[in-house]
Structures are given as structure tokens and as C-alpha cells.
Amino acid sequence: EVLARIPRNLILASTDMSPRIIDAVSAARNITWATELTAVTLAALHPTEEEAASSSNDDADVMQIKQAWIQSWKAGGWGSADDLGPDIAGDVVGTLLTTGSDNDHNVYAKFRMPCHPALMKASFGLEFLTNCTEEEARAALTTRGFTYRSMRDALEGLVLESTERKSKGTKRDKRCWDVGDALDRVMARATTLQLDADETTTSHVIVPVYEYLAHSLNANSKLVSIDNEVLLVATRDIEAGESITRDYTLAPRIVGVNDESSAEADELTALQLLLQFGLPPSAWPTAKDESS
């Protein structure tokens, strides 16, 4: 049964890259699905005057709908000011995702700290929340930060008008923070989908409606691309009052700097579900789930 029909031109797909997007992505230090999909998202949010002027009336309407949709994204992975509390948030530069550098280990070693103070405090919080080790939490935060920094300089030029913030910074700082915000929200919403007719190419996409669904290992829906539509279809009988769900274990994940196994793990841990997708404890695997 078809639950929803989404026009193909309303979705964000890594395969829909204009020359402007391709130029930006090609300048990134490490090109991944997250780089491409973040660039597509930023370009949709910040069309150039030439792009707007060359659009037909229908295309202009789609452009405005996409902008409004992207602007409606509020939540991303764990790490907002509300998540962190004032003690950690006071050490954050921009956002937690954009805080720190690739040289933090050397910078803070003289203070006997393994990384930036905000990341160190955040790793303690993640250890408490998800029952992971401090080292696992710090590695996950480091991976997320590296992913951002590898695309930051290449993609900040796609931000034509930066977001006003309480944090003080230069115009470039604010554009870079917008790249971080986009990456954070893209990672929390992305999925994969075969868009071409011969089903040979898998695209990384964000699809309206689907990106809002709750998580379940027994998901009751999936996406199917047919002609100029993407269909949200039921995969089993759905009981009255039952939520429509998707399986976030099938979502793409970011890969560690020196750890390619993290993207191939069979199960998502509570740490991954919280940090990348912002999913609450009700979605985390229980001790029983992990042992089965």
C-alpha cells in the first residue's frame, strides 16, 4: 500500500549536482556521501541569482518549497546547547560539531588533556548517557569533527547569506558554522535509494516525510522510486494507531579517519544512534537486544 507520494524533484540527492556543487565538492579534503549531500543541501538553500533567474515558474516554486523544507529542519545529532548544558556550551565555538581542530591532540597535550575541553566534557556526558567508554565517545566525536573539517573550506562558499547567531565570529566563521549545521542535519536524515530505472546506481538522499519517521528494527515502510515519484510504501500490515517507522540501521554512516569498519557494523550502538541521528533512549538497543 502506498502511504505517500513525493515528487522526484522535491528530494535532495547526491546525484543531483550542478557544476557549482561539483566544483565545491571536488575541493574537499575527503569526499564522501556526507560531503556531496551537504553540498546539495546548501546549494538548494542558497541558490544564486543566475539559478533563480533561469528557473521556470514551476522550478521556482520547487526551489522555494525546498528552501522552506530545509529551513524547517531543527534537530540533528546530539550536541545542541540544550543537550550540553551551560558548563560545556561555554567552551563551544559555534557548535559542538564545529569545535576543535585536527591538531587538538598536540595543542592540548601540554595541559594533559586528550582533546579540546568541550569535546572532553562531551565525551564524559556520552559515556554516562550511552554506557560506552570515554575513549569510544571521544573517537566518535573526533570522527564527526574530522568529517566537518574535511569539507568546511570547500563548501563554505556555497553559503550566500549566513545565519545570525549569538556566538561572535567573522562572516567566514558564520558561513562555516552553517556548513556544520547542514552536515549535522543531513547526517541525521539521510538514507539510500536507487533512483535510476536499471537500479545500478544507489544515491544518498533526503526525502520529505521519510526523514521524520521514528526508528524501528521492525520497520513498516520503505522508499521506492518509480518514474518521477518516490513512493513511501508499507512493507507489512500496519495496526491502527501504530507509528509509521523506518530502520535507521540501514542509514549511511560516517566513517572514522582510520576506521572503515564503523560504516560496516551490523548493529548501531546507542552512541551512534544518539550522536548521528539524535534518537532518544527509547530507540536504543537494550541489553537483551545486544545479547540476542
Short mmCIF file of all heavy atoms in Angstrom, two decimals, residues 110 161 221 269 291:
data_model
loop_
_atom_site.label_atom_id
_atom_site.label_comp_id
_atom_site.label_asym_id
_atom_site.label_seq_id
_atom_site.Cartn_x
_atom_site.Cartn_y
_atom_site.Cartn_z
N LYS A 110 49.91 19.64 26.38
CA LYS A 110 50.65 20.32 27.44
C LYS A 110 49.76 20.62 28.65
O LYS A 110 50.26 20.89 29.74
CB LYS A 110 51.27 21.61 26.91
CG LYS A 110 50.28 22.62 26.37
CD LYS A 110 51.01 23.83 25.77
CE LYS A 110 50.05 24.83 25.16
NZ LYS A 110 50.78 25.98 24.54
N GLU A 161 24.30 33.61 2.32
CA GLU A 161 23.87 34.50 3.41
C GLU A 161 23.86 33.69 4.71
O GLU A 161 23.07 32.76 4.85
CB GLU A 161 22.48 35.08 3.14
CG GLU A 161 22.03 36.10 4.18
CD GLU A 161 20.70 36.73 3.83
OE1 GLU A 161 20.24 36.56 2.68
OE2 GLU A 161 20.12 37.39 4.71
N SER A 221 7.80 0.49 6.73
CA SER A 221 7.74 1.24 5.48
C SER A 221 9.10 1.25 4.79
O SER A 221 10.14 0.99 5.42
CB SER A 221 7.30 2.69 5.73
OG SER A 221 8.32 3.42 6.39
N THR A 269 25.07 1.14 17.71
CA THR A 269 25.10 1.24 19.16
C THR A 269 24.28 2.44 19.61
O THR A 269 23.90 3.30 18.81
CB THR A 269 26.55 1.42 19.65
OG1 THR A 269 27.06 2.67 19.15
CG2 THR A 269 27.43 0.27 19.18
N SER A 291 22.40 -8.87 23.23
CA SER A 291 22.86 -10.24 23.51
C SER A 291 22.20 -11.27 22.60
O SER A 291 22.62 -12.40 22.53
CB SER A 291 22.57 -10.59 24.97
OG SER A 291 21.18 -10.58 25.22
#
